[in-house]
Amino acid sequence: MKDNTQNIIFGVLVGLPAMLIIWVFALYFFGCGTNNTCTGIPQPDRTPVPTLIAATLPAPKVGVEAIAAKPRCRVAAVDLIGAWIGAGFPETETFEFKDVKDQTCTATFADDVQKLFLEANLWYDGAPACTTCHYADVAKATKNMDLSSYTGILAGSNRVDGKPKGDDLLGGGNWQNALLYQVLYAPDGKTEINRPAMPLGRPANVPASGPVIAAGIPPLPDN
Ligand code: HEC
């Protein structure tokens, strides 16, 4: 009886660790073989974990960029001002113009016309803005003319002593007669009235009707 208990205790103490060692060894041996490469046990087919996949579409644009990304029409600068004046030079309402593809596009003074007077580098690289010389302080501005605002443009030139009304620039709504047209339409840099083309200093290689710019919005496609 006593021997028996001793045998069981001995068996457990020695047998269990021995089995454990054999089991670990077997796992290692069958798993890794004898060359330690561990390819013996077939590996389960793993679903590949997707890594970052390169986006194929451009990221959607938001905010200011989204506005800039809207389709615009293209038109020569002088033709755009001409369409605005031909439509009765509206201050806030939209007006229509024909773009270079002969589509009827829609524009406004604030969004499309005004920048032709306010922006540098628009008529050509290095061009000063009209408002560099023709600015709001009409008493001092060149030709006593303010091209910085709608009212300034309508008030005209030669407003000596800052008087509210000067010489009409808009030909009374007839673009070809407008002084503005006469100084801006300049084939080979020369106006047809023998006065300097605007912006002052404009090189001869600027197209007669000025650069083609993005302006207005195209008509909705017919469905
Ligand atoms: C660097 C200064 C300067 C810039 C920039 C300039 N102008 Fe002039 N502008 C003048 C001068 C100087 C005259 C007078 C030219 C002359 O001797 O006939 C003039 C004359 C004019 C006249 C004739 C006014 C009148 O009653 O005789 C108009 C219209 C005009 N400019 C429009 C513009 C427009 C539009 C722009 C921008 C596209 C522009 N100017 C840019 C200097 C400038």
Side-chain angles (χ1 to χ4, degrees), residues 133-211:
C133 304
H134 308 297
Y135 47 84
D137 186 352
V138 280
K140 293 189 192 141
T142 307
K143 298 304 279 184
N144 304 102
M145 176 169 68
D146 170 24
L147 297 181
S148 70
S149 68
Y150 179 82
T151 23
I153 294 169
L154 262 67
S157 62
N158 301 313
R159 293 162 60 195
V160 186
D161 305 325
K163 62 180 178 176
K165 197 80 195 135
D167 297 338
D168 175 44
L169 302 175
L170 308 180
N174 182 338
W175 182 223
Q176 310 286 316
N177 293 342
L179 187 54
L180 208 48
Y181 170 79
Q182 291 165 341
V183 298
L184 287 175
Y185 180 74
D188 300 320
K190 291 192 186 67
T191 66
E192 294 172 339
I193 53 168
N194 273 320
R195 290 183 54 186
M198 296 292 141
L200 194 73
R202 168 170 163 170
N205 63 2
V206 175
S209 295

Side-chain angles (χ1 to χ4, degrees), residues 201-223:
R202 168 170 163 170
N205 63 2
V206 175
S209 295
V212 171
I213 57 160
I217 44 174
L220 290 174
D222 323 302
N223 297 310

